[in-house]
Amino acid sequence: MTKLSVNINKVATLRNARGGNNPDVEKVALDCEQFGAEGITVHPRPDERHIRYSDVYALRPVLKTEFNIEGYPSKEFVDLVLKVKPTQVTLVPDAPDQITSNCGWDTKTHQAFLTELMDTFGEAGIRTSIFVGTDLELIEYAAKTGADRVELYTEPYASLYPKNPEAAVAPFVEAADRVHKLGMGLNAGHDLSLVNLKYFHEHIPWLDEVSIGHALICDALYLGLKKTIEEYKNCLR
């Protein structure tokens, strides 16, 4: 079964806008678990504009499901991950000032850099995942780094889906098939929503995990968090 990991960055964004501790990021994470999420994702950025490093440390001992920390592997980020030892680390090629992740790694150009990181995290017992697009050559180079999984960057799918679902999903099916043949696990994330998730999953049912934040938190404003998580999980059945 494909697991749902809830990215709680936007909850932290709301908290930070006003100061204080409302909403309580830790409580929301625990509620997501109670409502059926199989994982929690955070993406701490250097400016801590949403998730703070202190949040990451606070969450680790209380979470009962899989904990996924994603981010650009700066020295500070690598040190954080090695101290916290989450279930999974997902490496993204974000510049410090990016609003959100908007591309996958050039795993060919950065093969040596990524391979060293895979070794470092692997020795610490942390599952590794690399954020990639659908370029088959770059997926093969991701496998050469020793990554346990890749996470497919699904914004292109989400953008094209309203106009042409078949064309939107086709390159992702091909990429997912290559990932499977290379023996890696498969995650997906970015702009997946209640509108497009079910179709995506129907065509790639062997997905290990989807990481969803912005759309899920937006839906929760109308449906409530419990109902929203139930609806996303229904898309993955």
Side-chain angles (χ1 to χ4, degrees), residues 99-188:
I99 295 176
T100 187
S101 304
N102 63 2
C103 67
W105 281 95
D106 179 344
T107 52
K108 185 175 182 178
T109 299
H110 299 287
Q111 183 185 4
F113 175 59
L114 292 169
T115 299
E116 183 178 350
L117 289 164
M118 297 306 102
D119 290 342
T120 298
F121 292 130
E123 289 171 4
I126 302 167
R127 188 174 71 223
T128 54
S129 179
I130 296 177
F131 201 56
V132 296
T134 55
D135 185 295
L136 299 183
E137 182 184 24
L138 296 184
I139 288 172
E140 291 180 357
Y141 272 93
K144 292 177 182 179
T145 69
D148 298 308
R149 296 184 181 183
V150 295
E151 178 175 334
L152 294 178
Y153 167 57
T154 50
E155 190 274 335
Y157 163 75
S159 296
L160 184 56
Y161 176 83
K163 298 178 181 177
N164 191 333
E166 291 183 6
V169 82
F172 289 88
V173 173
E174 186 178 15
D177 184 60
R178 183 64 57 89
V179 171
H180 184 67
K181 289 177 178 176
L182 289 167
M184 291 186 291
L186 180 64
N187 300 338

Side-chain angles (χ1 to χ4, degrees), residues 24-100:
D24 185 325
V25 169
E26 184 177 322
K27 183 180 185 303
V28 171
L30 294 176
D31 285 341
C32 287
E33 290 187 323
Q34 182 182 349
F35 298 152
E38 291 94 0
I40 298 295
T41 292
V42 295
H43 186 151
R45 285 186 165 86
D47 61 5
E48 297 187 294
R49 62 180 180 268
H50 33 61
I51 286 291
R52 301 166 181 156
Y53 276 38
S54 58
D55 293 324
V56 180
Y57 286 114
L59 285 165
R60 183 66 183 101
V62 299
L63 294 179
K64 299 178 178 64
T65 61
E66 294 192 353
F67 191 23
N68 174 45
I69 303 177
E70 63 180 32
Y72 179 81
S74 64
K75 183 183 183 304
E76 293 76 14
F77 178 85
V78 172
D79 289 344
L80 172 71
V81 172
L82 292 175
K83 289 175 183 176
V84 173
K85 287 186 169 59
T87 314
Q88 176 177 269
V89 58
T90 301
L91 302 186
V92 297
D94 282 0
D97 59 348
Q98 279 184 228
I99 295 176
T100 187

Side-chain angles (χ1 to χ4, degrees), residues 171-232:
F172 289 88
V173 173
E174 186 178 15
D177 184 60
R178 183 64 57 89
V179 171
H180 184 67
K181 289 177 178 176
L182 289 167
M184 291 186 291
L186 180 64
N187 300 338
H190 202 90
D191 284 354
L192 294 175
S193 69
L194 289 178
V195 173
N196 58 45
L197 178 59
K198 184 176 179 63
Y199 187 85
F200 190 83
H201 185 254
E202 286 174 345
H203 286 77
I204 313 174
W206 61 92
L207 277 167
D208 290 298
E209 172 188 293
V210 293
S211 175
I212 304 177
H214 183 80
L216 189 150
I217 299 304
C218 290
D219 290 330
L221 294 175
Y222 291 92
L223 303 176
L225 188 58
K226 184 175 187 294
K227 178 64 174 175
T228 297
I229 289 175
E230 290 173 356
E231 291 296 321
Y232 275 89

